Amino acid sequence: MLKFNFAFIFAAAMAATALSNAADVMVGGQSMLANKDIIDNAVNSADHTTLVAAVKAAGLVDTLKSKGPFTVFAPTNAAFAKLPAGTVETLVKPENKATLTKILTYHVVPGKHDFMSIAAQIKKQGGVAEMDTVSGGKLKFMMNGSHNIAVKDDNGNVANISTYDVYQSNGVINVIDTVLMPK
């Protein structure tokens, strides 16, 4: 019996260690720690400097540090670079704060939505799942292969999720390759 208990405890400890290590995902060359909030992780990602600057310009830091939970579909710097020249520079100006806020909150869905929950909603809703964003718009999700989810905005633009399930203390980040735009 003593051998069984020791083996069980050892196996449980190993499983817990594996799970805690699996929760930390590399994004932008840095480990995203599940015990940190969305902002505290995002500021460390070299791939999200434009997003972080935009969040600061929009005054959304405190919101994204709050309890949540939130799911953020986080465009990379390369995603922002696809926008027409001068777009980001124009949006971060103080006089465009309302527009910038609407665009950024369009990338946020209330709740904690990882790959498995989004894929389940896609299946349940007949191939296209629709979710409300914090800005009041809608995002559509559909499978694009066996382990890829595409996200479509209200204008028909499509982003692919390139990194899934970056768990945070107040939600989850899914990294996307295109900036989504509300109507």
Side-chain angles (χ1 to χ4, degrees):
M1 186 68 160
L2 184 59
K3 279 185 178 179
F4 173 76
N5 285 339
F6 177 74
F8 179 77
I9 291 169
F10 180 74
M14 293 303 289
T17 300
L19 284 174
S20 70
N21 290 339
D24 297 339
V25 177
M26 295 292 288
V27 176
Q30 294 295 317
S31 185
M32 300 290 110
L33 304 175
N35 64 345
K36 290 189 173 189
D37 65 49
I38 290 167
I39 294 297
D40 288 344
N41 272 321
V43 297
N44 292 321
S45 169
D47 292 342
H48 291 91
T49 56
T50 304
L51 177 62
V52 169
V55 166
K56 289 177 180 177
L60 294 172
V61 170
D62 289 340
T63 301
L64 292 175
K65 287 182 78 54
S66 69
K67 186 177 177 180
F70 306 106
T71 299
V72 176
F73 295 94
T76 61
N77 294 340
F80 280 101
K82 290 184 197 177
L83 295 172
T87 301
V88 173
E89 294 79 8
T90 300
L91 286 171
V92 297
K93 291 181 178 177
E95 62 267 21
N96 297 320
K97 184 176 179 179
T99 301
L100 179 61
T101 299
K102 184 174 181 178
I103 292 169
L104 294 175
T105 57
Y106 188 68
H107 289 79
V108 181
V109 174
K112 196 170 186 176
H113 302 282
D114 59 11
F115 176 86
M116 294 301 290
S117 69
I118 298 169
Q121 287 183 46
I122 292 169
K123 184 176 181 180
K124 182 179 177 182
Q125 295 182 33
V128 178
E130 194 170 272
M131 289 188 216
D132 294 327
T133 69
V134 171
S135 73
K138 294 193 182 301
L139 294 175
K140 292 183 173 80
F141 299 84
M142 54 241 111
M143 297 303 297
N144 183 18
S146 61
H147 195 77
N148 186 44
I149 295 174
V151 186
K152 185 184 282 187
D153 67 20
D154 286 334
N155 297 300
N157 301 310
V158 177
N160 286 297
I161 300 175
S162 58
T163 304
Y164 295 89
D165 306 344
V166 186
Y167 297 106
Q168 318 288 300
S169 63
N170 61 343
V172 63
I173 292 174
N174 292 298
V175 178
I176 58 174
D177 65 357
T178 302
V179 176
L180 302 166
M181 299 299 267
K183 281 201 173 208

